[in-house]
């Protein structure tokens, strides 16, 4: 019986030649142009209550290439251009299913520079990757090996704001298999003082990656603000310097979260977290920077896809569950629990660490969800008023 392998993207840095960089830059520009043209055409048709699908936009692309003003589209590989039309079709599919907002036009300065190639647009042989319209293979830094005998199904080339070039190859990875089942379960409470607090009592320190480079970042941003706006070389250099600092911060943060989530998935069969709406929480301006630096949304995303890979379960408890105000020993609900209270004593005599108690309550609630299949959503009103959740506490903090 055939085994269903998990498809996984392997990302590497590469160093293009001047000719390759120029070719890829032209491709990025053409991809952006085709996407915007197709989006404009579909938007105009939408105002007339006419739906335009991928096949129609593909026919439009053929017609655009025959015009004098868009003849430059013939200079790059047609594969990335077709792929961007497929991406636009996916964006509209999500929009019609109410899973996403209406697609937006791509900006030359702010949108991600990338191009996707399918098997007809690249050649991969003996560890050498050559893209369409290029004579020489890319100079890739193989920081880790691809799976034995792996053949990429798609290749995505991108350039970040710091000027670094990356290639991402989507391959089947036979090494990803469900881990042996275990009885271990853990509740995880995220925070700012400590990044994670586990129901076992363990606390993971918050590295505060952005704070470590804040002085360098502020200096670089001041230098950028002094440059004359426009396309001058000095302003581009200053912008690139700021981007490199941001990239350094993001790389450290991502590496730390990968290590944490991998460890949690390996050690536990069930992981219970709180269903936080981070996009609403960052509206609290005094705490927005700290919340963004903690990257709770990225932590959850990494945790969920790794759990799916390895046969683990991630349970998200309703955000209105009063985990901090509920005594994990006797179940008594406290009327108030200000954010500055880090330890408290219940009427039953049990002294709690606020975060550890919350993690224990999340674990108990999550296991109840797993057992009965019902959501955890307590009554909104109590004798002492509405339950105060982590989100509400953060919003109210001055």
């Amino acid at each position: 019986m055939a085994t269903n392998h998990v498809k996984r993207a392997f990302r590497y840095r590469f160093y293009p030649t001047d000719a390759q960089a120029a070719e890829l830059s032209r491709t990025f520009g053409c991809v952006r142009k085709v996407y915007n043209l197709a989006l404009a055409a579909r938007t105009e048709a939408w105002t007339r209550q006419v739906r335009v699908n991928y096949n129609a936009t593909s026919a439009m692309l053929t017609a655009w290439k025959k015009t004098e003003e868009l003849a430059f589209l013939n200079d790059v590989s047609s594969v990335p251009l077709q792929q961007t039309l497929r991406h636009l079709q996916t964006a509209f599919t999500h929009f019609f299913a109410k899973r996403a907002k209406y697609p937006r036009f791509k900006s030359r300065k702010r949108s991600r520079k990338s191009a996707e190639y399918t098997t007809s647009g690249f050649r991969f042989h003996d560890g050498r990757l050559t893209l369409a319209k290029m004579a020489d293979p890319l100079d890739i830094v193989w920081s880790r090996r691809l799976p034995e005998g792996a053949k990429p199904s798609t290749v995505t080339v991108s350039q970040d704001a710091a000027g670094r070039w990356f290639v991402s190859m989507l391959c089947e990875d036979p090494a990803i298999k469900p881990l042996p089942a275990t009885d271990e379960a853990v509740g995880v409470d995220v925070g700012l003082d400590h990044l994670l607090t586990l129901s076992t009592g363990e606390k993971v320190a918050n590295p505060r990656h952005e704070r470590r480079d804040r002085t360098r970042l502020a200096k670089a941003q001041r230098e950028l603000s002094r440059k004359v706006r426009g396309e001058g070389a000095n302003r581009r250099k200053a912008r690139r310097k700021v981007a490199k600092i941001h990239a350094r911060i993001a790389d450290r943060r991502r590496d730390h979260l990968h290590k944490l989530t991998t460890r949690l998935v390996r050690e536990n069969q069930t992981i219970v977290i709180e269903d936080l709406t981070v996009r609403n929480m960052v509206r609290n301006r005094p705490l927005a920077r700290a919340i963004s630096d903690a990257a709770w949304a990225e932590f959850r995303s990494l945790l969920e896809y790794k759990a799916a890979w390895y046969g683990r379960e991630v349970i998200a408890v309703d955000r209105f569950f009063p985990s901090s105000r509920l005594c994990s020993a006797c179940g008594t609900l406290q009327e108030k629990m200000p954010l500055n209270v880090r330890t408290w004593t219940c009427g039953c005599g049990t002294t709690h660490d606020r975060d550890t108690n919350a993690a224990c309550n999340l674990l108990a609630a999550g296991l109840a969800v797993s057992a009965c299949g019902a959501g955890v959503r307590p009554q909104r009103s109590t004798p002492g008023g509405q339950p105060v959740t982590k989100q509400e506490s953060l919003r109210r903090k001055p």
Side-chain angles (χ1 to χ4, degrees):
M1 186 174 71
T3 303
N4 291 326
H5 294 154
V6 173
K7 285 197 171 184
R8 180 179 184 180
F10 292 83
R11 186 168 177 254
Y12 303 94
R13 190 168 179 181
F14 74 97
Y15 296 86
T17 63
D18 291 342
Q20 290 173 339
E23 176 64 29
L24 289 173
S25 295
R26 282 195 298 270
T27 303
F28 294 159
C30 291
V31 164
R32 182 180 63 251
K33 181 67 173 179
V34 169
Y35 185 94
N36 288 342
L37 287 172
L39 177 55
R42 296 185 68 149
T43 300
E44 189 276 332
W46 176 252
T47 60
R48 295 184 284 107
Q49 299 299 309
V50 176
R51 287 196 179 187
V52 177
N53 58 17
Y54 161 75
N55 292 331
T57 54
S58 181
M60 291 178 188
L61 175 59
T62 302
W64 293 334
K65 287 183 175 182
K66 295 178 180 179
T67 63
E68 183 178 352
E69 61 178 344
L70 296 176
F72 62 87
L73 295 177
N74 294 291
D75 297 337
V76 302
S77 171
S78 62
V79 176
L81 305 185
Q82 293 290 344
Q83 285 301 101
T84 198
L85 296 180
R86 291 187 175 95
H87 294 163
L88 180 61
Q89 177 63 36
T90 301
F92 271 100
T93 299
H94 291 320
F95 167 69
F96 291 131
K98 299 183 178 180
R99 293 191 296 266
K101 294 182 180 179
Y102 194 82
R104 294 183 296 180
F105 290 94
K106 291 184 180 293
S107 166
R108 184 171 63 87
K109 292 183 178 180
R110 298 184 179 181
S111 295
R112 180 171 179 260
K113 299 178 181 179
S114 67
E116 184 178 271
Y117 295 79
T118 57
T119 51
S120 61
F122 66 88
R123 184 174 67 256
F124 183 74
H125 182 66
D126 291 338
R128 295 164 69 86
L129 177 67
T130 306
L131 300 178
K133 298 284 187 177
M134 294 185 186
D136 300 318
L138 300 180
D139 181 14
I140 301 174
V141 179
W142 296 101
S143 53
R144 55 177 172 172
R145 293 183 180 179
L146 287 173
E148 190 69 25
K151 295 182 179 179
S153 57
T154 62
V155 169
T156 302
V157 181
S158 61
Q159 184 185 28
D160 67 7
R164 303 178 301 178
W165 295 86
F166 294 96
V167 59
S168 179
M169 290 178 271
L170 187 65
C171 309
E172 287 189 349
D173 190 355
I176 298 179
K177 299 177 181 178
L179 295 172
T182 176
D183 294 330
E184 297 297 323
V186 67
V188 181
D189 181 67
V190 297
L192 297 179
D193 291 335
H194 293 89
L195 183 62
L196 304 179
T197 301
L198 308 184
S199 55
T200 58
E202 179 185 353
K203 293 191 174 186
V204 179
N206 186 353
R208 302 183 187 276
H209 300 287
E210 187 271 340
R211 179 179 290 182
R212 289 168 56 185
D213 278 343
R214 188 172 295 175
T215 301
R216 292 176 63 237
L217 180 60
K219 180 180 178 181
Q221 288 174 328
R222 284 197 301 271
E223 292 175 354
L224 174 61
S225 68
R226 296 189 185 109
K227 306 301 180 185
V228 177
R229 290 187 176 274
E231 293 299 321
N234 288 337
R235 184 171 178 82
R236 284 198 301 271
K237 291 179 183 178
R239 187 188 300 117
R240 182 69 58 85
K241 187 175 181 180
V242 172
K244 285 183 178 180
I245 299 174
H246 277 299
R248 171 185 168 89
I249 294 170
D251 288 346
R252 289 203 309 258
R253 181 189 298 123
R254 189 181 304 109
D255 178 70
H256 183 63
L257 291 179
H258 269 297
K259 292 174 180 176
L260 279 178
T261 51
T262 298
R263 184 197 132 196
L264 288 173
V265 168
R266 285 178 176 172
E267 295 178 353
N268 300 279
Q269 181 68 35
T270 304
I271 305 166
V272 185
I273 59 177
E274 191 173 3
D275 185 19
L276 300 176
T277 307
V278 180
R279 63 178 178 274
N280 292 335
M281 299 170 70
V282 294
R283 294 174 182 172
N284 181 345
R285 294 182 64 86
L287 293 177
R289 173 178 277 182
I291 293 172
S292 298
D293 192 27
W296 294 335
E298 186 175 5
F299 166 76
R300 176 174 177 174
S301 176
L302 296 178
L303 194 64
E304 288 180 335
Y305 85 70
K306 290 180 182 181
W309 277 0
Y310 297 109
R312 302 309 201 197
E313 183 181 19
V314 175
I315 300 174
V317 174
D318 189 274
R319 64 180 65 94
F320 292 100
F321 180 67
S323 56
S324 298
R325 299 193 294 121
L326 191 66
C327 175
S328 58
C330 68
T332 301
L333 184 64
Q334 305 298 311
E335 290 189 1
K336 295 182 179 180
M337 186 67 61
L339 197 60
N340 61 344
V341 176
R342 309 315 302 173
T343 59
W344 57 281
T345 302
C346 179
C348 67
T350 306
T351 300
H352 294 291
D353 175 271
R354 179 193 183 102
D355 298 332
T356 304
N357 176 67
C360 291
N361 285 325
L362 289 173
L363 175 60
L367 293 178
V369 171
S370 180
C372 66
V376 178
R377 195 178 189 87
Q379 294 181 355
R380 297 294 180 89
S381 59
T382 63
Q386 287 190 340
V388 178
T389 65
K390 182 194 298 291
Q391 298 181 125
E392 292 169 346
S393 298
L394 290 175
R395 283 198 296 267
R396 295 178 184 181
K397 185 173 180 179

